[in-house]
């Protein structure tokens, strides 16, 4: 289940649009994603609906209990080991990864003592991967980070 919506321009205020990851949810920052060709976005769960409503992009999931299979696929991708995430992204057909680099409580299924870094943690901390190209959206108000999934070679 992918989420997309018609672009809504009725609210022109620029306050944060979510309580979670508020540092990354400025409408002006989210709307900058509209400068990119439309595609499927893997993002923080709470940002999904706002990307779908404010841009021409589709998202993998949003925080809605009735789309739990999509939420599981999103979490499996974000929690994967960094190198294993490429398989998940390609399986989803993802075009972009959009994450909030602000410190956040990490939802995890890791066992105690396992300190392995997830794909999401790795990217948010500045890690690079050969299958992702950073996207520069210019000056943003918050620490939103964007990557383009490279075509498979």
């Amino acid at each position: 289940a992918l989420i997309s919506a018609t672009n809504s321009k009725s609210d022109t205020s620029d306050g944060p649009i979510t309580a979670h990851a508020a540092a990354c949810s400025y409408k002006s920052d989210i709307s900058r994603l509209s400068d990119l060709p439309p595609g499927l976005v893997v993002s923080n769960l709470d940002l999904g609906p706002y990307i779908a409503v404010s841009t021409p992009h589709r998202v993998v999931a949003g925080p809605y209990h009735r789309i739990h299979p999509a939420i599981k696929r999103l979490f499996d991708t974000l929690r994967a080991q960094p190198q294993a995430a490429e398989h998940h992204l390609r399986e989803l057909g993802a075009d972009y990864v959009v994450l909030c680099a602000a410190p956040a409580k990490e939802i995890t299924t890791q066992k105690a003592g396992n300190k392995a870094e997830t794909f999401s943690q790795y990217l948010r901390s500045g890690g690079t991967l050969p299958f992702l190209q950073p996207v520069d959206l210019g000056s943003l108000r918050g620490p939103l980070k964007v990557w383009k999934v490279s075509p498979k070679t």
Side-chain angles (χ1 to χ4, degrees), residues 10 14 40 60 153:
S10 59
D14 194 33
L40 179 62
V60 173
T153 56

Side-chain angles (χ1 to χ4, degrees), residues 47-102:
L47 292 177
Y50 301 101
I51 293 170
V53 167
S54 302
T55 75
H57 301 292
R58 296 170 295 128
V59 297
V60 173
Y64 308 108
H65 72 281
R66 293 181 191 259
I67 61 168
H68 58 84
I71 292 171
K72 182 182 180 327
R73 291 180 75 190
L74 175 66
F75 283 178
D76 287 348
T77 302
L78 295 177
R79 293 177 185 159
Q81 295 300 304
Q83 290 298 330
E86 180 178 15
H87 169 77
H88 292 278
L89 293 170
R90 298 212 187 277
E91 188 176 75
L92 288 167
D95 298 295
Y96 303 100
V97 176
V98 177
L99 297 173
C100 182

Side-chain angles (χ1 to χ4, degrees), residues 2 19 28 36 58 76 82 97 101 139 141 152:
L2 304 177
S28 60
L36 303 173
R58 296 170 295 128
D76 287 348
V97 176
S139 181
R141 292 185 67 184
K152 188 168 182 156

Side-chain angles (χ1 to χ4, degrees), residues 123-143:
L123 288 180
R124 288 187 293 114
S125 66
T128 61
L129 293 164
F131 55 90
L132 294 176
Q133 301 304 314
V135 175
D136 182 5
L137 294 179
S139 181
L140 300 175
R141 292 185 67 184

